[in-house]
């Protein structure tokens, strides 16, 4: 999990007696078993907070939530007022491990990524201790801290970028939009799909696969199919119902399914969407990837209004 | 007089739309107005609102125009809204920033930058429709690619992705160290205790700003749709 509460005040010295225990909730409510610190943290038992030093007095354990090992390291670097490019790795490593140790004593689970970072720090520390002339190594000459510093700086960049995002006027928090008729909420388990050109072409390709290809070279359409006609047909289907399956809209009782029909219907649906006469829904799976049948849902437009809109554009 | 009528038409259309109206669409609907003229008409309207001390402005967001209340009315207007105002946890904001600047990006790439698992956070950003799936990367396993949505632009008041402020250069950050970096945290750092001394409490409160449960991003409205 991304967030881990870390015992902060104790950095100042495990012996500082401070009253009360306050656990703060990590920003991400962890749901997975391996990050069960929420349950632990929500029912703190001061007695179990076995802090090194062993004093019986309750300790203030205020847990700032860190967004991960990189965030914790940045915090330590800041606390120690050291240069990020010249981290006193032994000191920082020691403090980092102190944090993890405290967490363990508090019976809080330490997420794997924190342990991985601890191993990295220990590795760097050992490399720093090696005499500089151990020339067999191909990494020779490189500061063993270089990669970590690069990652910290990269993380810091995005941390700042996220703070800039946070400082913008948000719609729905700082500013509010004047809105016309509200679009209908998406049915349960489905959501509107936001698609680009490629997804649309892919959908068209799939639809065409189900239409027979015209083998004859000189087929003459006696009754050409127009997009406008298909728009009217789709809206007719929606006159009596809230929604229809896209598949259903492709059917036409008067004609066999042909490529021309599929293409015209497809364009009609897109045009109706552009005109906000209907909206397109598709189910999403657990992973939020749209899949399953596509449904067309009528927008709440006054009767006949869409006809005027169609007439406008065609 | 004709210009005043056009200006009023533009205002009416923007006001009554449920989402940002593209300039080209306005030009289609307002007789005799070119897209360039629309921009000028919007500027005139905004100047008029400012002069009259109105409580709103027309913003250029997500490729269109939208009438929005001024930030000074945030607290007031929030009380009118059903649900809680939009909130994003720090984890969500960091993830969103990485997706915004690095898109299209895989989950593994985001995790590399943040140093933590981002599965749950990405999922909730997808559910909030701030992030969308932008395809697959054509490598082994075809991992999903993530990008930001139109709704992201709308929520953060950006006309297009290029309007995101430039990321700071790594060299610049390295020079200045982490110390002076963000203004709010920087202030706390100025008074940071020497190592070994107990830290003042507000330092830790600082670490909490915006740290809300992910579930708390309420106030999400339906917005972007197929275009």
């Amino acid at each position: 999990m991304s967030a881990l509460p870390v015992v902060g005040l104790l950095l100042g010295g495990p012996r500082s007696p401070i009253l009360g225990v306050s656990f703060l909730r990590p920003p991400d409510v962890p749901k997975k078993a391996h990050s069960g610190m929420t349950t632990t943290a929500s029912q703190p038992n001061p007695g179990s907070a076995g802090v090194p030093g062993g004093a019986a007095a309750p300790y203030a354990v205020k847990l700032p939530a860190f967004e991960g090992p990189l965030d914790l390291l940045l915090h330590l670097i800041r606390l120690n007022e050291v240069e990020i490019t010249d981290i006193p790795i032994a000191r920082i490593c020691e403090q980092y491990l102190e944090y993890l140790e405290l967490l363990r004593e508090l019976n809080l689970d330490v997420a794997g990524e924190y342990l991985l970072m601890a191993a990295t720090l220990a590795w760097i520390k050992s490399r720093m201790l090696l005499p500089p002339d151990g020339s067999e190594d191909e990494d020779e000459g490189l500061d063993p801290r270089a990669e970590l510093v690069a990652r910290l700086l990269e993380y810091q960049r995005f941390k700042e970028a996220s703070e800039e995002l946070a400082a913008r006027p948000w719609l729905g928090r700082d500013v509010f939009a004047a809105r016309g008729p509200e679009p209908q909420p998406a049915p349960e388990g489905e959501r509107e799909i936001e698609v680009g050109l490629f997804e649309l072409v892919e959908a068209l390709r799939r639809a065409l696969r189900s239409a027979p290809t015209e083998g004859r070279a000189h087929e003459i359409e006696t009754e050409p199919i127009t997009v406008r006609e298909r728009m009217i047909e789709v809206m007719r289907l929606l006159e009596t119902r809230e929604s229809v399956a896209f598949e259903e809209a492709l059917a036409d009782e008067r004609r066999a399914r042909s490529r021309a029909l599929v293409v015209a219907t497809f364009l009609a649906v897109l045009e109706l969407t552009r005109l906000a006469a209907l909206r397109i829904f598709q189910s999403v799976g657990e992973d939020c990837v749209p899949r399953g049948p596509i449904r067309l849902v009528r927008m709440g437009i006054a009767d006949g209004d869409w006809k005027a809109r169609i007439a406008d554009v065609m | 007089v004709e210009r005043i009528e056009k200006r009023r038409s533009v205002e009416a259309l923007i006001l009554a739309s449920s989402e940002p109206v593209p300039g080209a669409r306005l030009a289609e609907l307002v007789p005799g107005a070119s897209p360039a003229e629309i921009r000028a008409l919007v500027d005139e309207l905004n100047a008029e609102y400012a002069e009259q001390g109105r409580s709103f402005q027309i913003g250029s967001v997500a490729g269109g125009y939208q009438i929005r209340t001024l930030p000074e009315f945030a607290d007031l207007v929030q009380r009118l809204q059903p649900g809680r105002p939009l909130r994003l946890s720090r984890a969500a904001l960091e993830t969103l920033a990485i997706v915004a600047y690095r898109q299209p990006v895989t989950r593994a790439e985001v995790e590399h930058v943040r140093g933590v698992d981002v599965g749950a956070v990405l999922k909730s950003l997808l559910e909030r429709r701030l992030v969308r799936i932008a395809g697959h990367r054509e490598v082994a396993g075809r991992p999903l690619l993530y990008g930001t949505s139109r709704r992201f632009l709308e929520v953060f008041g950006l006309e297009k992705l290029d309007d995101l402020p430039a990321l700071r250069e790594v060299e610049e950050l390295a020079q200045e160290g982490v110390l002076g970096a963000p203004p709010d945290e920087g202030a706390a750092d100025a008074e940071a205790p020497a190592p070994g001394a107990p830290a003042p409490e507000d330092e830790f409160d600082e670490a909490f700003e915006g740290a809300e449960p992910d579930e708390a991003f309420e106030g999400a409205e339906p917005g972007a749709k197929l275009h």
Side-chain angles (χ1 to χ4, degrees), chain A residues 12 27-28 62 67 71 78 84 151 154-155 157 160 163 168 171 173 176 178-180 192 194-195, chain B residues 16-18 67 69 78 90 94 102 112 114 150 155-156 168 182 185 189 196 212-214 225-226:
Chain A
D28 252 349
K62 215 172 185 192
E67 291 300 336
D71 199 25
R78 222 175 266 148
I84 193 166
R151 281 194 71 187
E154 186 73 350
Y155 176 65
R157 281 175 102 188
E160 286 184 21
E163 280 155 10
R168 297 187 70 85
L171 184 68
R173 183 188 71 176
F176 296 86
R179 287 190 183 275
E192 276 182 279
E194 190 174 321
V195 292
Chain B
S17 172
S18 62
I67 292 182
T69 55
Q78 268 178 21
R90 258 180 70 194
E94 285 182 18
R102 283 286 153 84
H112 182 75
R114 289 201 58 220
R150 258 171 46 88
V155 166
F156 291 95
R168 289 226 294 158
E185 295 203 19
D189 283 328
E212 291 296 329
D214 248 311
K225 62 160 162 279
L226 188 114

Side-chain angles (χ1 to χ4, degrees), chain B residues 168-192:
Chain B
R168 289 226 294 158
E169 291 302 321
V170 168
E171 293 72 27
E172 191 190 332
L173 277 174
Q175 258 177 20
E176 139 186 342
V178 188
L179 284 174
D184 51 343
E185 295 203 19
D189 283 328
E191 285 148 41

